[in-house]
Amino acid sequence: MEINDLTPAESRLWRAFASGTDVDFRGTGSGPTAADSDDPAGGRTWGSERTVRASVLRSLLLDGPREEGRVAALTLAGARVTGQLDLQHATVDHPVRLRHCHFDEAPRFYGARLRELNLSESVLPGLISHAVRVEGVLRLTRARFEGMVRLAGAEITGSLYLEGTRIEAPDTEGPVLQLNQAVLGADLWAPGLSTRGSVRLTGASVTGTVNLRDARLDAAGGTALDAQNLVVGSGVGASCLRARGRVDFRGARVPGTLDLLHASLSSTGGTALRASSCVIGELWLRRGDRIEGALNLRRSQIDLLTLDTGKLPSEVYLGDLTYTALAPHEPAQRRLPMLERDGDGFVPYAYEQLTASYRRIGDDDAARLVQLAKQRRRRRTLPWYGRLWGHLQDVAVGYGFRPLRAGGWLLSLLAVGSVAYGLHHPPPLKPAEAPDFNPVFYTLDLLLPVISFGQESAFAPEGGYQTLSYVLILMGWILATTVVAGVTRTVSRQ
C-alpha cells in the first residue's frame, strides 16, 4: 500500500508502527452528542479522524515499516476499523493491540501465528480464530461480542483473559464461545464472563487454572457450559457462578479444586450439573441456592466431596461414585435422603461409600445406621416373602445392627412363659421320673432351640398352655435365625 493512499489517521498510525508508539484516538471527537462518545459501542458514528481501514492494519502487520533499534508494534486505541481484518494463516511477528476499538466486521485469524493479541474493551461482531497460535497472551478483557467467538483448537502459550467479557449471539445456533480442543500454557482467566448461549470447552487443556468466578452463563434449555474431558493442571474456580442450562464436566480431570461455592445452577427439567466419570481432587458444592435440576456424579473419583444437604436437588445419580472423605460432618439422618433420591433406584454402592466415609472418621454409630438403611431400602425391591422375612429381621435384631433388641424380645417372652407356667404347671409325662418343675428353665427350653435343660421333654402342657408352648418354640427359632443372619452380615462387613 502506498503511503500517499492513507488518510491522516492512517498516516499517523503508519508512522507510529515502526517504533511501537501508541496511537490513541479517544477524546478526538467534538460536541456532547453520543456520536462523539468514546464508547466503542457507538463506533459506527465515529468520523474519519478516528477511522482506519482493516486493509491498512493488515499491510502494517505483514509488511510495515521498521525502525532500527526499535520493536515495531501495532498499538491502537479508540479507532473504528472498517472492512475485515483478514490474517488467516499469516505469521505476524509484532504485538497486536487494538483496544477500545469498534470493528465493523469480525476479524479472521484462522490458522494465524501471532506474537500477542489484545482486543480488550473493544466491540466486535464476532471473532474467527480457529487453530490460531499465540506466542504469549490473548487478551479479550471486557470486550463485547455480538457474534460467535471461535477459538477451537487454539494454542496459546500464555493465558487467555476473558474477565468481564460479554458475548451475545441471539441469532446463532451452537456455542457462542468455542474453546474446544484449545491448549493453554497458563490460565483461562474469565471472572465475570457473561454469555448468552453455550460455552464449549470440550477436550481443552489448561496448564494452570480455570477462573469462572462470578460468571453469568445463560443457555436456557441447552448447555450453558460444555467442559467434557477438560484437563486442568490446577483447579476450576466457579464460585458465585450463575448458569441457566446444563453445566457439563463429564470426563474432566481436575487435580485441584472444582469450586462451586455459592454457585447457582438451574436446568429446569434436565440435568443441572453433570460431573460423571471425572477425577477431581476436591469438589465443593456448598452454600447458595439449591440446585434446580438433576445432579449426576456417576463413576467419578473424588478425594474430598464437600456437599451441603440443603443444596441437593430432588434427583441425584450417584452410581459408582467414589470419594475418600465427605464434608462437612453431618449425622447420618441428614445424609441418607441423598441416597433415597437416586434416580437409578436402589444403588447399594452408594450406601457402602457413605458407610466407609463414616468409618474412616470413627463414627461407627452413623456407619451402622447407614447399613441399616441400606437393608431397609433393599427390602423394598424384594418379592413379598422376602419383604416379610426382612421385616422379621428388622423387628427382631435390626438386621443384626441392633443385637440388644433380640435380648429384649427373649426376656419378654421368658417373662410371659415363666408367669404362665408358674401359675399352671404342666403335668409330667412320667411322674416317677420327672424332675422338679421350674417355669423359668422350662420356658428357656422352649425358646432356645439348641440348649436343653431337661424340662421340655419331661412335661406336656395341655389346652391353651400347649398352644403357648408352640408359640414360644416358633418365636425361639425365628429369633435364633434372625440373630444368626444379622450377626453373619455384620461380621462379614467388618
Side-chain angles (χ1 to χ4, degrees):
M1 178 173 291
E2 298 293 335
I3 189 68
N4 54 8
D5 291 336
L6 304 178
T7 66
E10 293 168 347
S11 295
R12 177 184 170 188
L13 179 62
W14 193 277
R15 292 190 299 270
F17 175 81
S19 60
T21 303
D22 293 354
V23 175
D24 192 344
F25 290 130
R26 287 175 294 177
T28 59
S30 59
T33 64
D36 302 311
S37 169
D38 285 327
D39 185 352
R44 283 190 177 275
T45 63
W46 290 344
S48 60
E49 73 280 359
R50 56 192 305 180
T51 298
V52 177
R53 288 170 291 173
S55 59
V56 175
L57 301 181
R58 187 177 189 276
S59 295
L60 279 172
L61 293 172
L62 296 182
D63 194 24
R66 306 289 188 275
E67 185 174 323
E68 188 174 350
R70 304 293 293 272
V71 177
L74 178 60
T75 306
L76 176 63
R80 176 189 178 188
V81 180
T82 59
Q84 187 174 67
L85 179 56
D86 190 345
L87 290 168
Q88 294 186 91
H89 303 291
T91 298
V92 179
D93 295 325
H94 319 293
V96 181
R97 307 182 185 107
L98 299 168
R99 300 176 61 243
H100 296 280
C101 292
H102 177 95
F103 289 78
D104 286 357
E105 298 183 37
R108 299 179 69 91
F109 297 104
Y110 177 84
R113 298 296 181 263
L114 308 175
R115 181 62 57 89
E116 175 191 340
L117 179 60
N118 188 341
L119 300 174
S120 298
E121 290 90 18
S122 293
V123 173
L124 308 93
L127 180 64
I128 303 169
S129 297
H130 301 75
V132 68
R133 179 175 177 82
V134 181
E135 301 288 346
V137 299
L138 173 55
R139 294 185 184 272
L140 304 175
T141 301
R142 292 182 294 279
R144 285 168 282 177
F145 293 92
E146 298 172 353
M148 298 175 66
V149 176
R150 301 177 179 179
L151 288 164
E155 294 183 37
I156 303 170
T157 61
S159 296
L160 170 59
Y161 293 95
L162 289 163
E163 63 267 41
T165 302
R166 285 168 36 192
I167 307 174
E168 296 186 4
D171 299 327
T172 300
E173 293 185 4
V176 296
L177 174 57
Q178 298 178 4
L179 280 165
N180 45 302
Q181 308 303 322
V183 178
L184 276 62
D187 302 324
L188 172 55
W189 203 255
L193 171 68
S194 176
T195 61
R196 185 69 63 85
S198 179
V199 174
R200 179 178 290 175
L201 281 168
T202 53
S205 176
V206 181
T207 302
T209 298
V210 175
N211 187 337
L212 291 169
R213 180 180 176 86
D214 293 313
R216 302 291 184 269
L217 311 181
D218 190 348
T223 299
L225 175 61
D226 189 348
Q228 297 183 63
N229 301 310
L230 170 69
V231 177
V232 178
S234 181
V236 177
S239 59
C240 303
L241 167 73
R242 298 186 67 86
R244 293 183 61 208
R246 175 185 293 182
V247 173
D248 197 341
F249 283 100
R250 183 173 65 87
R253 299 294 183 267
V254 184
T257 300
L258 175 52
D259 178 4
L260 289 166
L261 293 177
H262 294 286
S264 177
L265 308 177
S266 174
S267 181
T268 305
T271 299
L273 174 61
R274 181 166 70 169
S276 57
S277 302
C278 294
V279 177
I280 302 173
E282 298 183 12
L283 174 57
W284 295 355
L285 273 173
R286 293 189 63 191
R287 304 170 188 163
D289 301 332
R290 181 183 180 185
I291 296 173
E292 295 182 14
L295 170 63
N296 186 344
L297 299 178
R298 288 190 187 113
R299 300 178 301 280
S300 285
Q301 300 177 32
I302 303 172
D303 291 336
L304 173 61
L305 177 57
T306 303
L307 188 63
D308 273 349
T309 54
K311 197 172 179 68
L312 286 172
S314 58
E315 186 176 7
V316 299
Y317 295 89
L318 306 175
D320 294 323
L321 167 65
T322 301
Y323 49 88
T324 304
L326 180 64
H329 178 63
E330 292 188 354
Q333 293 90 337
R334 290 180 58 84
R335 293 291 187 190
L336 285 171
M338 170 178 68
L339 309 186
E340 291 283 340
R341 299 174 189 174
D342 201 303
D344 290 329
F346 174 52
V347 181
Y349 188 76
Y351 288 86
E352 295 301 320
Q353 277 293 292
L354 185 56
T355 299
S357 70
Y358 279 122
R359 283 178 176 155
R360 198 170 288 114
I361 61 175
D363 193 344
D364 292 332
D365 290 338
R368 284 191 291 269
L369 187 58
V370 174
Q371 283 295 299
L372 178 57
K374 173 190 172 184
Q375 295 302 324
R376 289 172 173 170
R377 180 74 185 279
R378 175 180 175 273
R379 185 173 68 209
R380 301 206 298 264
T381 68
L382 300 176
W384 69 267
Y385 48 84
R387 293 196 300 271
L388 178 60
W389 176 239
H391 278 294
L392 287 174
Q393 292 188 73
D394 195 356
V395 172
V397 290
Y399 283 99
F401 300 104
R402 293 176 177 172
L404 293 180
R405 184 178 293 180
W409 282 106
L410 182 62
L411 290 175
S412 299
L413 293 172
L414 179 61
V416 170
S418 298
V419 170
Y421 294 118
L423 294 175
H424 189 280
H425 294 190
L429 291 173
K430 297 179 180 181
E433 301 177 7
D436 293 337
F437 180 76
N438 187 306
V440 175
F441 284 96
Y442 179 73
T443 305
L444 283 174
D445 252 354
L446 296 174
L447 287 171
L448 302 179
V450 177
I451 300 174
S452 175
F453 296 100
Q455 294 280 314
E456 180 187 1
S457 59
F459 298 92
E462 299 173 343
Y465 293 96
Q466 186 179 32
T467 302
L468 176 60
S469 69
Y470 295 154
V471 171
L472 291 174
I473 292 171
L474 178 62
M475 292 301 296
W477 275 104
I478 292 175
L479 277 174
T481 307
T482 54
V483 167
V484 170
V487 171
T488 301
R489 183 184 300 108
T490 303
V491 171
S492 67
R493 291 303 310 152
Q494 303 298 325

